[in-house]
Amino acid sequence: KFIPTDKYMIMIVRDIINKVSKKEFLCDVKCSKSFSDEVEKLGGKCITYRTGNSYTKAAVRDMDLAFGGELSGHVYFRDRWPGFDSGLYAGLRLLEILSNTSKNVEELLEGINEYYSTEELKFKSSDDVKFGIIDKILEYVKSKNYNYLDIDGVKVLFDDGWALVRASNTGPNITVRFEANTEERLAALQKEFIDLIEEYNK
């Protein structure tokens, strides 16, 4: 069974938060609100950062954080590891947790706030156009007086969900992701922002 990276990260934070002095952990803009919710429930602070392996890895190092990661699968341990991403080491850390408990993975994931979310969706857009589309999305968001983050594209924050629209770092695409408290709200967010992308991307 596939475990989304942000849920894996929750298991790690639950394991190490009381073993580290600085209780701050990093995630990228694509991670579920489930992660920040859990960090805050545990008495820690969640730092949301831009997507990109080189960016998130450097930020975890520069901010002197014990752990951080991004939804794409890169995770960085600095409590007992040099801070570079290794799938083998990440797997061993989960095995270590499992070896010290009678719980299985499903039980270790209990109590997490659950939301409805999309996969990362991609819309073809040439490299010389995609950043202009993000600028137009930002103008729209400001005109609506929406709450937003602009550290990596535009992440629009609502009480009942969020919408992320950003220019891909790796190809001629606009990438988007949505999350909401209900399926109906998720569909409404998708319609609002995908309609804008399609209008601006003509």
Side-chain angles (χ1 to χ4, degrees):
K1 182 183 290 186
F2 176 75
I3 305 168
T5 306
D6 41 18
K7 288 192 174 181
Y8 168 88
M9 289 166 62
I10 287 172
M11 288 189 284
I12 298 301
V13 171
R14 283 176 167 178
D15 180 60
I16 71 172
I17 192 165
N18 293 323
K19 303 172 186 174
V20 297
S21 56
K22 188 173 184 180
K23 302 182 190 308
E24 298 180 11
F25 306 94
L26 182 140
C27 70
D28 76 326
V29 290
K30 293 189 286 190
C31 282
S32 170
K33 189 172 180 289
S34 299
F35 180 75
S36 56
D37 286 351
E38 190 65 25
V39 171
E40 289 164 13
K41 279 194 285 185
L42 294 168
K45 177 183 176 183
C46 180
I47 299 167
T48 302
Y49 202 67
R50 65 180 299 179
T51 291
N53 178 19
S54 58
Y55 301 120
T56 48
K57 180 161 49 183
V60 170
R61 180 195 65 223
D62 295 345
M63 297 180 194
D64 192 25
L65 307 179
F67 178 73
E70 61 177 41
L71 189 67
S72 66
H74 299 284
V75 291
Y76 319 103
F77 292 86
R78 293 186 66 254
D79 58 337
R80 292 183 278 137
W81 183 252
F84 62 86
D85 39 328
S86 164
L88 287 172
Y89 184 75
L92 289 169
R93 286 295 291 258
L94 180 55
L95 288 175
E96 179 184 52
I97 292 170
L98 289 166
S99 73
N100 289 320
T101 180
S102 60
K103 294 181 178 179
N104 60 32
V105 170
E106 286 77 12
E107 290 168 329
L108 288 172
L109 290 171
E110 287 177 355
I112 294 172
N113 292 350
E114 296 287 355
Y115 299 99
Y116 296 92
S117 61
T118 66
E119 298 295 320
E120 185 176 39
L121 309 173
K122 293 185 178 184
F123 295 86
K124 289 289 183 188
S125 183
S126 62
D127 289 335
D128 59 341
V129 169
K130 63 186 183 183
F131 294 104
I133 293 171
I134 302 303
D135 290 340
K136 289 180 180 179
I137 297 285
L138 181 58
E139 289 173 15
Y140 169 83
V141 167
K142 288 179 176 178
S143 75
K144 292 284 192 176
N145 290 317
Y146 288 159
N147 188 20
Y148 68 91
L149 294 174
D150 60 358
I151 54 173
D152 186 1
V154 185
K155 186 172 186 177
V156 194
L157 307 171
F158 302 96
D159 291 339
D160 57 355
W162 53 263
L164 173 67
V165 184
R166 53 183 293 277
S168 171
N169 294 323
T170 54
N173 300 299
I174 300 288
T175 62
V176 300
R177 189 167 191 244
F178 304 95
E179 183 172 271
N181 292 356
T182 66
E183 291 182 285
E184 292 77 17
R185 180 58 173 150
L186 183 67
L189 286 173
Q190 287 186 76
K191 177 167 176 39
E192 179 177 1
F193 287 94
I194 289 175
D195 283 356
L196 285 174
I197 293 166
E198 290 176 344
E199 177 184 344
Y200 298 149
N201 201 26
K202 289 177 180 176

